[in-house]
Amino acid sequence: MSRNDQLFERASRTIPGGVNSPVRAFRSVGGTPRFIQRAHGPYVWDADDTRYIDYVGSWGPAILGHAHPEIVRVVQEAAVHGLSFGAPTEGEIEIAEVIAARLPSIEKVRLVSSGTEATMSAIRLARGHTGRNKIIKFEGCYHGHADSLLVKAGSGMLTFGNPTSSGVPEEFIRHTLVLNYNDLASVEAAFATHGDDIACIIVEPIAGNMNLVKPAAGFLEGLRTLCTRHGALLIFDEVMTGFRVGPQGVQGLTGITPDLTTLAKVIGGGMPVGAFGGRADIMDNVAPLGGVYQAGTLSGNPVAVAAGLATLELLAKPGFYEFLSRQSATLANGLTERARAAGVSFCADHVGGMFGLYFRDAVPTTLDEAADSDIETFKRFFHAMLDKGVYLAPSAFEAGFVSAAHDDAVIQETLDAAEQVFAQLKG
Ligand SMILES: *Cc1c(COP(=O)(O)O)cnc(C)c1O
């Protein structure tokens, strides 16, 4: 029995499913999850001391590579001065100023400790600000696990959805309209029917939780126009894409200004930090200025903020995103070439430091297309790559991530492994 197997068995006795977040359990690919004992640069080492090139990057935060010496240094320094005060600090001002300076849509911002908290708070704020109840979300977009967001489409368009989790009463999701990503006509129809009670649209402006799915031409512009016309707020959930796809997230790539933005993952540099921010007149509805309650014992935690600030500083180095984009492109294109050469139905896409791998012939533009992939072949690919020391997301519906530590040699090693694996898949 490997040490991973032993740990998984032991973990499963006192932790449900052996994990503290479900996708880690390898349920959708089968096999034993790797228990990580340490990580450095582009690599993680499991409990059996096997090294893997890591394309999960803690699901996004590890954009500088693991245990970056500068981040480790500032975390150690901050820790010496106290772990948490429950009182304001100068670091919180600095990170708020950096975020507001980098993202022009954000005039004021509040820190929380996770993406879930950020989206939950942003939606409460949108409802409080507009005095309306309903929200629009898109199937396949993930916005954390707040009750009103754990919902999938109902049987007919514009009917209210069904909970995707037990424990969520129907009443809690009665106000959530679930529409299809990249289907602007359905959004128009929703506004035509419910327009004066729609508080907001929340959207992953590039979707990374149904594999990587980019917005169709005109989709985000259309959402912006409809929200403005009907007095609803547009929330860009950039928890994954913020500071990941480019220096100003998707809003910088597209020039579209959301009313509110949610952030997490990269802005914590591996520590628990989330944020929601936007126009000052909206943000001023948050307590203690306004009537929308929102709070957190560990919000703005000094150690986490130090890691976040140092990360954001390093991301501002000239050429950072050019390098990241080049590495993702080399990986995505290299994998596609090798799959095609081996006769495997496969394609890939990328943006900034994010990529999608699809076991189908064309890059998907909808959830249905993303779901219509050869999952069995993906599973075999995943395990064969793992055997060769490459750690990909253990699910066919997650985006992958490269970091600044994924240099040319690391990408080449990955492509060499994939070449053998694709040949194996076909054989
Ligand atoms: C990861 C993610 C979340 C949830 O963030 P947590 O920190 O896991 O709570 C929300 N929205 C998007 C787009 C995400 O990718």
Side-chain angles (χ1 to χ4, degrees), residues 7-88:
L7 289 175
F8 192 40
E9 196 183 280
R10 181 173 147 211
S12 302
R13 276 182 240 135
T14 39
I15 303 173
V19 293
N20 282 314
S21 198
V23 72
R24 297 178 194 170
F26 275 32
R27 282 291 176 106
S28 66
V29 289
T32 305
R34 300 304 187 262
F35 281 69
I36 306 303
Q37 50 157 320
R38 66 198 158 92
H40 194 82
Y43 304 115
V44 294
W45 284 262
D46 72 8
D48 293 303
D49 220 22
T50 304
R51 191 194 79 175
Y52 302 90
I53 298 173
D54 178 26
Y55 289 101
V56 176
S58 186
W59 301 96
I63 194 165
L64 297 168
H66 292 286
H68 187 286
E70 178 62 14
I71 308 304
V72 172
R73 186 182 68 78
V74 300
V75 164
Q76 287 172 334
E77 267 181 28
V80 168
H81 293 115
L83 298 180
S84 175
F85 316 124

Side-chain angles (χ1 to χ4, degrees), residues 70-139:
E70 178 62 14
I71 308 304
V72 172
R73 186 182 68 78
V74 300
V75 164
Q76 287 172 334
E77 267 181 28
V80 168
H81 293 115
L83 298 180
S84 175
F85 316 124
T89 64
E90 190 168 346
E92 291 166 283
I93 312 173
E94 286 174 20
I95 198 168
E97 287 172 350
V98 170
I99 291 170
R102 302 256 180 103
L103 299 183
S105 72
I106 295 187
E107 293 172 345
K108 288 193 175 178
V109 59
R110 180 158 279 180
L111 296 184
V112 293
S113 300
S114 69
T116 294
E117 271 183 275
T119 58
M120 181 185 79
S121 306
I123 282 170
R124 183 179 307 132
L125 174 58
R127 284 173 162 152
H129 177 76
T130 59
R132 298 173 175 184
N133 293 311
K134 292 185 176 33
I135 64 173
I136 290 177
K137 84 172 280 284
F138 297 96
E139 191 145 17

Side-chain angles (χ1 to χ4, degrees), residues 114-117 119 142-145 204 209 237 239-240 264-265:
S114 69
T116 294
E117 271 183 275
T119 58
Y142 177 68
H143 304 292
H145 62 92
E204 284 185 71
N209 286 289
D237 181 357
V239 165
M240 185 185 291
K265 296 192 170 123

Side-chain angles (χ1 to χ4, degrees), residues 183-207:
D183 179 3
L184 196 57
S186 72
V187 187
E188 277 166 6
F191 273 106
T193 314
H194 301 289
D196 49 13
D197 198 28
I198 294 175
C200 65
I201 297 177
I202 184 165
V203 64
E204 284 185 71
I206 290 175

